[in-house]
Amino acid sequence: MQQRVRNAMAIASAAGSHVDPVPDTQGRWYVFARNLHTVFSAATANRGAKLGFFLVLALIVVAIFAPLIAPYPADQMGAGMSLLPPNGDYWFGTDEFGRDIFSRVIYGARLTIQVGLIAVGISLTIGTITGLVAGYAGGWTERVLMRLVDVVFSFTETLIALAAVAVLGPSLTNAMIAVGVAAIPFYARVAYSVTLVERNRAYFDAAYVAGAGHLRLIFVHLLPNIVPPLIVVATLGVSSAVLAAAGLSFLGLGAQPPSPEWGAMLSAGRDYFTLAPWIMIYPGVAIMIVVLAFNLLGDGIREALDPRQKS
Amino acid sequence: MDRYLLQRSLAALLTIWITTIAVSMLIHLVPGDPVQIMYAQSQGTTPEELEEVRQRLGLNEPLVVQYVQYMGRVLQGNLGTTIRGEQPVLELLLERLPNTLALAGAALLIACVIGLVSGFIAAYKRGSWLDTSLMTTAILGVSMPHFWLGLILLFFFAVRLQWFPVAGNGIENLVLPAVTLGVTNAAIIARLTRSSMIDVFDQDFIRTARAKGLPKAMVLYGHALRAGLVPIVTMIGLQFTYMMGGAIVVENVFGWNGVGRMAIQAIFQRDYPLIQGFILMFACIVVTVSLLMDVIYAWLDPRIRY
Amino acid sequence: MSVRMTVALTGAILLGIAAPTMADDIVWARDGDIDSLDPHRATSTLSRQVWYQIYDSLLEFNDAGEPVPNLAESWEVADDGTEVTFTLAEGIVCHDGSPFNADDVVWTAERALGEDNPSLTKASWGPITSVDKVDDLTVSFKFSKPFGAFVPFMADQFTSMLCDTNADADGFGVSSALGTGPWKFASWTKGSEIVLGKNADYVNRGRPVDNDGAPFADRLVVRTMPEAQTRVAGLRTGELNVIAPPIQEVKSLQEDEAVDVHVATGTGQNMFLQFAVNRPPFDDARARRAVSHAIDKDMAIQVVYGDLVERQYCPISRGVFGNDPEFCKQYDQDYDPEQAQALLSELGYGPDNPMEVTLATWTGDSRERMLQMIQNQLSQVGIQANIEVMDIGTLNARDTQENNREEGPGYMDLMGWTWFDPDLLYLLWHSPGAYEGFHTPELDAILEEMRSTVEPEARKEVVQQAFKILLEEAGQVPIYTPGWAWLYAVSADTPGFKIGPFNRAQFAAMQP
């Protein structure tokens, strides 16, 4: 929710980013791979992006190996005494049921990855297809689709996510869907504006003249070329999605107890703030680090792709 | 320019119209029986009584008829009554709206002051340690979940230090929520201000002015700021809609008596008339503000001719 | 930017600023607001607590929980039980100065029972055929059949007596509310505060509080403050006099000499588990018993609430007619995980085929923590429970929906009801029942008999027959009492606060 404006900026600059057009003779996989390489080298060239990249990598490692890293299962009551402050055995302390907060935060990383994948997956897929089709088809299709996108865009994401949860009912899955749906317009707009540019390039005309069908033109010729800016938006999108889903869980509209989702942990911890502030502090720090990581990475890639943004 | 504004106004109307359709259909998207959910608080409601409610709400009519009836009521300023307590929805919303606007407005003020100043300094001192540390702070600020920051401020300043009274809806109670919402957004404004000012500083007329030896201050305020203002104003328009969205969460952290807190309660209580009213009102505000921003933008930057 | 600023300034000007509280005020902070000032239009405890300050009922409950005279100085039940006649006290005056008499009683009852938008709790009034004014101070209620629970119901907040001048007032229930109670309604800023002024002419005829006349304080201000920790902070700084404290803070408040913690007992509240009984697995009593055996109720209570609540053995709460823990203990399920596992394997569940269920409750009062304890204990016997926490209204609807679903995983919830009479069992479990859930023909017959039995000894026997079925069949698994809004932390500077039976907060004797 927080990053509406930044995403808008990302759209503006990503649309104008430069990835040199590649002659289609090299084959579409080459285009795709070359674009990925561009993005990757962009990411590693920037200091902030490098830091972000390693943090994201760390998050993924933590999520995959959670059972090995966490000393206790996330829901194990009586792992320690209740409300122990952080110490050598329980690094982040324990909660009211004696659950180990460190273990819960570690397991929470899995849910965070899920939120990122599912929410961004939804918005990326639907948004990209909408934008591509609108940009490719032109005419009435374009007008109707993009007008709809504008309508959705003109609400804040918060409002759309809330409306979706109001209809679907509170659960983490529904929160992910809600957050994903709310972000569709960003992806659609980027895909649309890049498609407009790509459509006028020589390789597209060549393919068109050669008699390629609609689907082939859209998915084989256009799609690989609009990947870089979408990666920027999707990376920043993960940070927005994580924040938004945690916010919904915090309000009680997302993950339900005893889920170690960070927003939900934070919300449960507020009752103990004066007695045991650590219950609330560590999940908050975890959210912040993950959001920061994706922001750094996304910013880094964007700056590297867009010469105007370099400082 | 008139044509442009006309276009924008039509687009705004279209958005609101689509919203009314979506909102009036909301109740049909709910899984289960909405009427049963709505009347669960009364004891021993018979199926006949529930049927009567369905009839009264017009839920048995074809969707088109329902929409027309809904629009008829909305145009007369009737957004229905809440399920809990049977209170008029519009009245409830309007009672609390000033509180939300005050929160969003105060937060915007804080965000603008901090954001513009630090963004401007960072751009002017580009590449210096000051720039780096300001921008590092900014990215940290952007990454901070504001419900978390809010809770920490609340517990530290209101509960522990007791600097602020905890009860009531006075100005002194506005400080912490406005700071929470403002600070996280100042970071965004700072980053955008910086990049926009860098563009301006790089432009020829500024370089020329500097080379001609005009006093530094004059160059900065007279030329650069004015030129850099245009994109910043647009951005602030977007910020306001964001502030309204952010206010929903922050209000719940601080128990601020605005529409956002009421909306979350309504979602929990499945008070659909109230949820519908809230979405409609919120959408109208957002659309109106964006339209206003377009007008101001067009007025500031006469190059716009669509 | 100028537009933004203007918005900000306008907002600040429009901003409703809470009226400053004065020295002679009592300020009471709770976590939520009332739904309505109209006792026929809401059911929440938060609403009932406030109605009780503004309105009187015909009868009251004394400290022992028995109905005693209040607005009515006497009442008489006809021999066949189909007519109840009340004689009103003389000289009762409404908040607007008009006299309170039989017309007001008839107006209130007809409003509650009328065809057009009746009271949400119309069903509790019983099978009333007519309400008649006999003379200015006498009213009679006629029934199609005897209804034992009617007399105590006349002491409930749902039968708050309204003055008939409310009919002329604009916005009754929202911006106006005329009653005869110790506090007069002054204003309601929704979501924020309700201001009540003292009724200087008040004569206390039945309320169990040490003050026969008007309240000592000038005003009672009821604030909505959702964040528990800020209520505690407000109490400690002296901004607030009475708060609903968070359970987590009760211990530190009890140790604080500047604060008195009051714990309501005899609230009539009962927290219990109930099941979706019309589909597997809980259509089988063995599955319900397995759940009950699997839960160490005493331990769960101890971990979550300490000694702030007590174990509940009977389907109706302690302090309510018929409650008898020793009797109930014979029929309920003891904590016995092995027995639970045996029952589960009889039903075909085991490590390879665990039972999966949904476990729900409503938000607040640390109930979600109680569910986590139960979930944990159920997992020890191989039952996987998924927790869902929702608003009470949603939960009520959900229970009915679950009972009407034929497919899906098992469903149970931690539910709470409060009532002053075992007639509650009729409302809950006589078919179709409040949630269209558990019922048997035998239980139906017993509950019907209970409704029309008036003589206490005989009634108690029937009530206990109902207990036996509910407990043996585990249709209702009682766990603890009270369940909500039963804790009050009061500043020691403002003594005189008292909680009457059925959790009625009394402010009239508080020294501001």
Side-chain angles (χ1 to χ4, degrees), chain A residues 96 99 256 258 270-271 274, chain C residues 227 229 249 369 372 389:
Chain A
E96 70 270 31
R99 293 180 297 211
Q256 300 283 311
R270 66 201 290 189
D271 290 344
T274 48
Chain C
E227 182 60 56
Q229 299 283 349
E249 294 289 334
R369 294 195 169 87
Q372 291 182 55
V389 183

Side-chain angles (χ1 to χ4, degrees), chain A residues 75-77 96-97 99 104 170 252 256-258 268-275, chain C residues 227-229 246 248-249 303-304 366 368-370 372-373 375-376 387-390:
Chain A
D75 300 341
Q76 187 183 329
M77 293 188 180
E96 70 270 31
F97 292 115
R99 293 180 297 211
R104 289 176 70 70
Q256 300 283 311
R270 66 201 290 189
D271 290 344
Y272 288 94
F273 189 84
T274 48
L275 294 170
Chain C
E227 182 60 56
Q229 299 283 349
Q248 292 75 20
E249 294 289 334
V303 169
V304 179
S366 281
E368 75 288 354
R369 294 195 169 87
M370 197 67 194
Q372 291 182 55
M373 282 305 296
Q375 179 192 46
N376 193 267
I387 293 176
E388 288 188 33
V389 183
M390 58 197 89

Side-chain angles (χ1 to χ4, degrees), chain A residues 89 164 243:
Chain A
D89 293 328
L243 263 185

Side-chain angles (χ1 to χ4, degrees), chain B residues 53-95:
Chain B
V53 174
R54 246 173 241 124
Q55 205 72 38
R56 198 173 77 206
L57 295 176
L59 291 175
N60 293 334
E61 307 283 336
L63 290 184
V64 180
V65 177
Q66 284 189 38
Y67 176 69
V68 172
Q69 287 173 344
Y70 177 77
M71 276 314 284
R73 289 197 300 271
V74 168
L75 289 175
Q76 289 166 23
N78 175 5
L79 295 181
T81 54
T82 59
I83 304 302
R84 283 278 185 107
E86 300 183 14
Q87 313 242 353
V89 168
L90 185 66
E91 209 172 279
L92 280 181
L93 287 169
L94 290 180
E95 262 177 36

